[in-house]
Amino acid sequence: MEPGGPAKTDAASLKLLFSMIWRNPYILLLASSAGIGGFLFGYDTGVISGALLYIRDDFKVVDRQTELQETIVSGAVAGAIIGAAVGGWVNDRFGRKYALMTADLLFLVGAILMASANGPALLIVGRIFVGFGVGMASMTAPLYISEASPTVIRGALVAANGVLITGGQFIAYLINLAFTKVPGTWRWMLGIAGIPAILQFVLMIFLPESPRWLYRKGRVEEAEAILRKVHEPQYVEQEIQDLKDSVDKEIMEDGKSGKINIMDLFRTKTVRRGLIAGVGLQVFQQFVGINTVMYYSPTIIQLAGFASNQTALLLSLITALLNAVMSIVSMAFIDNFGRKKLLICSLIGVILSLGLLTGVFNVSASHAPKVMPTDLRYRNATCPDYSLASNSGSWDCMTCLKAKSDCGFCAASSKLLPGVCVSATNAVKHLCNGDHREWFTRGCPSKYGGAAIVGLAAYIIFFAPGMGTVPWVVNSEIYPLRFRGICGGIAATSNWISNLIVAQTFLTLTKVLGTSWTFFMFGVISVVALFFVLVFVPETKGLPIEEVEKLLEDRPLHYKFWKKESVPGKSTDDTKPEP
């Protein structure tokens, strides 16, 4: 057990984190090297949002088919489902270190395929390979960090992996912006991900395996040597004893230490309860809509009334920066404030933000500029559906963009005034821009665009410190050692399946339901998620990994979370878990 054990975890903050890694830089080396996997996870999921704008320009078939755009985006997610599922087995069979190195090779292959793609088919194949790596890294990086970290700063170090994920997304947006005017645009954006993959592969060659995995495999001396490097001398023996007790208990319970029977997951009470909490958090993390923002942020900004690709990318950079900054806030509070409280505060803010976005997009849709009869300059390019409509006098910009034929809206010089609905071709677009008028094909001009940006920013500010990082932290520490790899794989797989559903349906939902109702749906799911956290998610703050099992054994429901209890030697303390 680390300094002071659970009763003293209020001291665990960024100050303590920096103090410990200053005294022992080896901790930082292990965590940061594994965290490159998190960076790649963030980069490869974030970069597609900007690259997609230019892929649409290069491949017209992609521009015309919403479903193909969704497939390019979600190809990585589909691959991540397989990567996470296989990753659980790879982690248990070969170790955390080799799982990360395998993920790096997959990242590299995917980056090369995407950068050299001659059409959407090869691009999707490359995205799937990247997804294999993302899925494996998404579960392995936090697991490795968690098992190689001192208890008192474990939450902060695993949250640091979340910072690297959001940092990767921010760097992806910067790269997107940097390459907007470089020949090859999206090829550079997607291909550059191979560099950090090579860096991590080389670093991991020289780093050790997870000490807990080694101990589980009977390589006791190796495990103890690593623990002595990581933990302060006065706490090493207790850490080793806790680990030994955990492994001995597992062997005594089922008489074996090798293969895992999948039915053991459901028969073992602590594992079953851990999976309910862990899988539920991963599913809700996606279903509250985060990756609609991260994958489609520039598109959402265009839906809010900003037509330019460069403007959409620049404004998206703000949301990516906020995501990274607020993940750092999570590092500061997760070992001090607690996992569960962060989740609850996060979800309340997410619900309010989604309510704001619902209102903004609803008002914007109802106040879209009207369509006026096509003037002589654009008459030969009039939208066919508009020409044939019996009620063309009631058309507005939203009606124009939803027309069955491929149509765009050429705004008036003052973009909130009536514009013309014309065929969406490059020639007409250039004609419109040449007249110093804005060209809209994703969203309509709106005076409420600024409010939509505020809503997106608020969503990220509330999401990132809680729902963004805590699900990964909880899943890295909530399962018994013997089941940690396979349960982490199940939870990560559930995350990516949920991610795929959201990524593959978002654009379609905005077309069928409208943007405002889509965000309203995410808001309702967020309310359900809040009740789930209140009831099923335990507080694991400050507990050594081996003691989390006892917490799940004692109680299936954990709705009492804010109660302060007296602790020997202290007046009050809200860190002690309920009995």
Side-chain angles (χ1 to χ4, degrees), residues 64 83 114 196 208 236 256 275 315 324 346 363 483:
R64 289 192 296 268
M114 290 187 298
V236 169
K256 59 185 177 182
L275 278 172
L315 291 173
S346 175
V363 172
F483 298 98

Side-chain angles (χ1 to χ4, degrees), residues 214-464:
L214 289 171
Y215 206 102
R216 178 67 187 154
K217 295 297 181 181
R219 295 159 64 177
V220 176
E221 291 183 2
E222 292 178 66
E224 291 183 357
I226 298 165
L227 288 172
R228 294 182 193 282
K229 283 186 177 182
V230 171
H231 296 272
E232 296 186 357
Q234 63 269 40
Y235 305 111
V236 169
E237 297 307 322
Q238 182 62 53
E239 185 72 24
I240 292 172
Q241 187 60 46
D242 287 344
L243 190 54
K244 181 179 184 300
D245 291 345
S246 176
V247 174
D248 288 346
K249 180 184 176 184
E250 291 173 7
I251 295 173
M252 183 170 49
E253 284 179 349
D254 60 12
K256 59 185 177 182
S257 59
K259 295 181 180 179
I260 295 174
N261 185 334
I262 194 69
M263 293 307 297
D264 291 344
L265 303 180
F266 305 101
R267 285 195 293 258
T268 308
K269 181 167 61 174
T270 53
V271 179
R272 185 173 65 249
R273 290 174 177 176
L275 278 172
I276 290 171
V279 170
L281 280 178
Q282 295 287 33
V283 170
F284 280 119
Q285 184 194 62
Q286 296 305 314
F287 280 172
V288 300
I290 180 57
N291 279 317
T292 62
V293 176
M294 299 319 299
Y295 294 157
Y296 297 109
S297 184
T299 302
I300 293 172
I301 288 170
Q302 288 182 333
L303 288 170
F306 297 90
S308 162
N309 283 357
Q310 285 78 15
T311 301
L313 285 173
L314 187 60
L315 291 173
S316 297
L317 192 62
I318 297 173
T319 62
L321 177 60
L322 285 172
N323 200 19
V325 170
M326 295 311 295
S327 296
I328 297 173
V329 172
S330 179
M331 284 181 63
F333 285 96
I334 194 164
D335 281 319
N336 192 343
F337 196 54
R339 282 71 158 144
K340 188 162 184 172
K341 293 175 188 176
L342 271 181
L343 286 170
I344 291 167
C345 293
S346 175
L347 282 167
I348 291 172
V350 163
I351 291 166
L352 295 174
S353 303
L354 288 169
L356 174 60
L357 286 169
T358 298
V360 167
F361 279 102
N362 183 56
V363 172
S364 296
S366 61
H367 290 75
K370 295 291 183 181
V371 172
M372 66 179 182
T374 312
D375 56 45
L376 185 61
R377 186 168 172 76
Y378 295 91
R379 185 158 296 166
N380 291 334
T382 301
C383 172
D385 287 13
Y386 176 74
S387 299
L388 298 173
S390 57
N391 62 338
S392 59
S394 65
W395 275 44
D396 60 17
C397 172
M398 294 299 295
T399 316
C400 173
L401 298 188
K402 290 180 180 179
K404 290 182 180 179
S405 49
D406 196 15
C407 299
F409 183 78
C410 183
S413 53
S414 176
K415 64 181 185 179
L416 295 178
L417 295 176
V420 293
C421 184
V422 287
S423 296
T425 65
N426 281 337
V428 177
K429 174 184 176 181
H430 294 317
L431 179 63
C432 179
N433 292 152
D435 290 341
H436 304 290
R437 299 164 72 171
E438 287 197 69
W439 174 250
F440 293 85
T441 56
R442 306 293 164 195
C444 293
S446 172
K447 61 181 178 181
Y448 304 105
I453 302 301
V454 170
L456 283 174
Y459 177 92
I460 291 296
I461 287 170
F462 285 111
F463 179 91

